[in-house]
């Protein structure tokens, strides 16, 4: 190769590098991606392995990180010595007090809000002026799906001797999450005794996929915003880099499907399991002398269609049946005799004057938790569920 040709090659390479660097800066500024390092920065770091559940919370963990990539929140959570979010409490219930145990996923745990702004914490504040009431937040202590809530209740929650058991049910994913779980061990009734995740595991406090996402497989490029942008678009346009079958749960492939009548049948098995589990929790609560209440939490897409862009989804609520899943659930719950509180109408009334959800994140903000706590407190007081003679 001539000296002239070598110079041209060097010049061309220099120009290409400059273009790539400039493009990287532009993408980083105008369309930043979640790099491999960022993925940890925006993930909770206080989860632990559990013998019976997909995960639980690390007892005594302080300042568990909760950061939203779009700036909705940046706060921390504290896990008490028994492995529950919030302040410490005695495992043995204080004589003469009423104890409420709240089951649920990240909505109940309170992703994005401080310890004293979660709806279980606020519920205790609203009730304790009348009676000696203690509310325990078991969100994420009990895993993340109805099957893990059931296993937790039978093995750990019962020991707390709750007078009332509340399950915060999130319509966006509590049914579809069961597509991720495997009932590794079941009892003679076909109910789970041990639940594991098909596709995720706990590593150093983080919940990680068993198979690393293809976009994060190349050590240097996974830190590039330009590369991640390109690699995200290629599958959409050219059907490239498809996930291995079984490596991603159906929930992630059909997000929002349960909200739409033309799609929900894809989760028929998961839906049937959900009702079987809710009925089992209701019966078990009665057997241990507790009252059970299911609280149905809506998702922001049911009120704000313009927020669809934050969801990786092909299914959204039918505009004519925004509360389709709530109505479908209530018919089944009525047939099972399960008490419930549907928050859809309350949030609908509040949506214009008080936004109850984070803008970029799917979780409830402080106002949303306040509404939930208020409505649950009103329900418990109206139906006198804290009175010993009411069942």
């Amino acid at each position: 190769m001539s000296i002239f040709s070598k110079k041209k090659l060097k010049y061309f390479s220099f120009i290409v590098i400059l273009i790539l660097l400039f493009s990287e800066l532009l993408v980083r500024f105008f369309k930043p991606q979640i790099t491999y390092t960022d993925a940890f920065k925006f993930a909770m770091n206080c989860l632990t392995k559990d013998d019976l559940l997909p995960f639980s919370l690390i007892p005594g963990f302080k300042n568990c990180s909760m950061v939203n990539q779009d700036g909705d929140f940046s706060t921390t959570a504290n896990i008490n010595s028994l492995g529950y979010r919030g302040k410490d409490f005695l495992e043995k219930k204080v004589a003469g007090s009423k104890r409420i145990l709240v089951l649920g996923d990240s909505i109940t745990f309170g992703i994005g809000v401080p310890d004293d702004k979660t709806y279980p914490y606020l519920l205790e504040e609203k009730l304790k002026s009348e009676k000696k009431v203690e509310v325990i937040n078991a969100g994420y202590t009990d895993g993340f799906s109805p099957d893990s809530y059931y296993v937790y209740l039978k093995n750990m929650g019962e020991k707390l001797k709750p007078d009332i058991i509340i399950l915060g049910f999130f319509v966006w994913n509590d049914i579809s999450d069961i597509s991720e779980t495997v009932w590794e061990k079941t009892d003679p009734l076909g109910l789970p005794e041990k639940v594991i995740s098909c596709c995720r595991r706990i590593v150093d406090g983080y919940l990680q996929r068993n198979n690393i996402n293809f976009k994060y497989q190349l050590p240097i490029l996974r830190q590039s915003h330009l590369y991640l942008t390109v690699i995200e678009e290629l599958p959409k346009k050219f059907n490239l880099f498809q996930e291995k079958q079984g490596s991603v749960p159906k929930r992630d492939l059909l997000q929002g499907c349960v909200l739409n009548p033309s799609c929900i049948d894809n989760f028929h098995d998961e839906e049937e399991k959900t009702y079987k589990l809710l009925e089992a929790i209701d019966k078990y609560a009665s057997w241990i002398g507790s009252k059970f209440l299911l609280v149905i939490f809506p998702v922001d897409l049911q009120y704000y269609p313009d927020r669809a862009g934050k969801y990786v989804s092909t299914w959204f609520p039918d505009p004519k049946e925004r509360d389709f899943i709530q109505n479908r659930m209530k018919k089944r719950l009525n047939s099972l005799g399960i008490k419930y509180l549907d928050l859809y109408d309350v949030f609908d009334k509040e949506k214009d004057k008080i936004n109850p959800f984070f803008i970029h994140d799917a979780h409830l903000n402080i106002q949303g938790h306040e509404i939930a706590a208020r409505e649950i407190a009103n329900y418990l007081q109206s139906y006198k569920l804290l009175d010993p003679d009411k069942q």
Side-chain angles (χ1 to χ4, degrees), residues 308-352:
K310 70 183 180 183
Y311 295 93
V312 182
S313 175
T314 55
W315 290 96
F316 302 107
D318 186 325
K320 297 178 181 178
E321 296 185 78
R322 292 183 304 158
D323 57 346
F324 156 75
I325 185 59
Q326 280 91 345
N327 291 330
R328 184 180 176 100
M329 285 188 66
K330 288 188 288 188
K331 288 180 181 178
R332 194 66 173 271
L333 295 171
N334 286 333
S335 70
L336 295 173
I338 296 175
K339 292 185 177 70
Y340 60 82
L341 169 62
D342 178 15
L343 297 177
Y344 180 88
D345 287 341
V346 175
F347 277 67
D348 193 32
K349 291 176 183 177
E350 300 276 4
K351 71 178 188 298
D352 294 326

Side-chain angles (χ1 to χ4, degrees), residues 194-244:
K194 180 177 181 179
V195 178
I196 63 172
S197 169
C198 69
C199 315
R200 296 189 290 175
R201 58 182 175 165
I202 299 297
V203 180
D204 297 328
Y206 296 94
L207 186 61
Q208 299 183 17
R209 290 177 53 169
N210 292 340
N211 299 312
I212 189 169
N213 192 302
F214 67 88
K215 66 182 181 181
Y216 293 138
Q217 290 179 3
L218 299 178
I220 296 177
L221 291 178
R222 66 190 182 188
Q223 304 293 355
S224 166
H225 292 254
L226 176 62
Y227 165 78
L228 292 173
T229 300
V230 172
I231 211 72
E232 284 282 359
E233 293 301 319
L234 285 176
K236 300 175 185 176
K237 294 185 177 181
F238 302 104
N239 203 32
L240 298 175
F241 306 112
Q242 296 300 306
E243 300 282 1
K244 295 180 181 178

